[in-house]
Amino acid sequence: MGRSENPVDRAVPERAQLADFLRDRKNTARLTYRQMAKAVGGQPSEATFERAASGTIVPSMETVRMFIITTTTEKDGLGPEFALIGGRELWMRARRVTRAPYYVRRAPDPTLISDTAGFLRALRHQHVWIGYPTPGEMERMSGPGLLPRTTTRRIIDGDALPVDPQQAIAFLKACYVTDEAELASWLAAAVRSIREDPSRSKNLDKWVKAHHELVQKAGSKELATVTALREKEERQAA
């Protein structure tokens, strides 16, 4: 067994809740931080894992993800997916309370957007709402070339809109808007906004096409979910 840990720092309740969640997983898996670090080849390190569960900081989401994966046991059922969802929510709350400006009190509603200024403001508020990730973090989440950190910084600062729908989608996904129906709602807002802005309307067709594709994906996903539920009910009734 490893040495006893210091108590979780409870100065910031949301940070403490995340730390409690991580420690519970570690204790359930009966692992030490050294064993966890060894299992992932030292990335993250033993010290990084320990700090993540201390309550003194908000670790990166990548550290939280690796913490959860490393401590996955049979009690997680089919895998770490549900724990990852719960961990991400706790992480976002902790980041929000420690990093987000006070004026953003709820997630933005894209259905209320009617112009390009409102669209840009909503993108910035979404970025704040999920915990103010850095441009570097967002670039890594999006993959090479999709969301350069210089461009991301300009969007965050309110100096520029995404140049095309692909960049807007990359920005939103890096802000944890990943559901096709939600993304479609954001692109519908972009279409409304650009249609009313003569200086940007020349690219409207690209946005309309991207929105249409997302609507189709969302519909297909919903149909697949309904079909799977019906098949499950039929098997249970047989």
Side-chain angles (χ1 to χ4, degrees):
M1 295 294 293
R3 60 181 172 79
S4 60
E5 294 186 76
N6 292 326
V8 169
D9 186 318
R10 301 197 176 277
V12 179
E14 290 82 358
R15 280 197 322 224
Q17 289 167 9
L18 175 60
D20 287 338
F21 170 80
L22 296 175
R23 283 199 186 187
D24 285 346
R25 291 191 61 82
K26 168 184 169 288
N27 293 336
T28 298
R30 296 180 179 275
L31 292 170
T32 66
Y33 294 118
R34 179 172 296 178
Q35 289 169 332
M36 291 169 60
K38 185 176 180 180
V40 295
Q43 296 294 328
S45 67
E46 176 184 354
T48 299
F49 276 138
E50 186 168 6
R51 283 196 301 272
S54 68
T56 60
I57 64 163
V58 181
S60 71
M61 185 58 214
E62 178 60 19
T63 296
V64 172
R65 187 180 75 84
M66 293 303 296
F67 200 115
I68 291 170
I69 291 172
T70 306
T71 55
T72 297
T73 67
E74 292 180 355
K75 292 186 178 181
D76 288 298
L78 298 177
E81 286 77 13
F82 287 109
L84 286 167
I85 292 171
R88 186 176 72 183
E89 180 60 31
L90 289 170
W91 175 83
M92 286 193 291
R93 290 177 187 174
R95 285 280 287 248
R96 189 179 303 142
V97 77
T98 55
R99 299 181 66 168
Y102 70 91
Y103 57 82
V104 179
R105 295 184 172 87
R106 63 178 64 87
D109 183 352
T111 65
L112 302 179
I113 299 170
S114 59
D115 55 33
T116 51
F119 183 65
L120 179 56
R121 183 167 55 251
L123 287 175
R124 297 173 67 203
H125 284 189
Q126 179 64 30
H127 170 258
V128 169
W129 181 248
I130 57 89
Y132 223 74
T134 67
E137 289 171 332
M138 296 175 73
E139 183 180 38
R140 288 191 293 274
M141 289 174 66
S142 303
L146 279 176
L147 198 62
R149 65 186 66 190
T150 52
T151 301
T152 305
R153 172 55 63 191
R154 294 186 68 205
I155 296 171
I156 292 170
D157 289 344
D159 295 331
L161 281 164
V163 297
D164 55 35
Q166 287 70 38
Q167 192 170 85
I169 291 170
F171 186 95
L172 288 164
K173 285 185 174 180
C175 291
Y176 295 97
V177 179
T178 56
D179 180 76
E180 282 83 359
E182 288 186 70
L183 288 168
S185 181
W186 278 92
L187 285 202
V191 169
R192 289 194 304 274
S193 303
I194 294 170
R195 185 173 282 131
E196 299 301 318
D197 188 340
S199 67
R200 301 179 188 276
S201 59
K202 63 180 180 180
N203 295 319
L204 181 61
D205 288 348
K206 292 181 180 180
W207 293 87
V208 171
K209 181 181 178 181
H211 173 248
H212 180 67
E213 290 173 350
L214 279 172
V215 169
Q216 287 185 318
K217 287 182 181 179
S220 298
K221 186 176 181 179
E222 182 177 357
L223 178 61
T225 300
V226 170
T227 301
L229 288 173
R230 287 178 178 172
E231 290 176 347
K232 181 178 180 180
E233 291 173 354
E234 291 172 357
R235 287 195 299 270
Q236 291 175 340

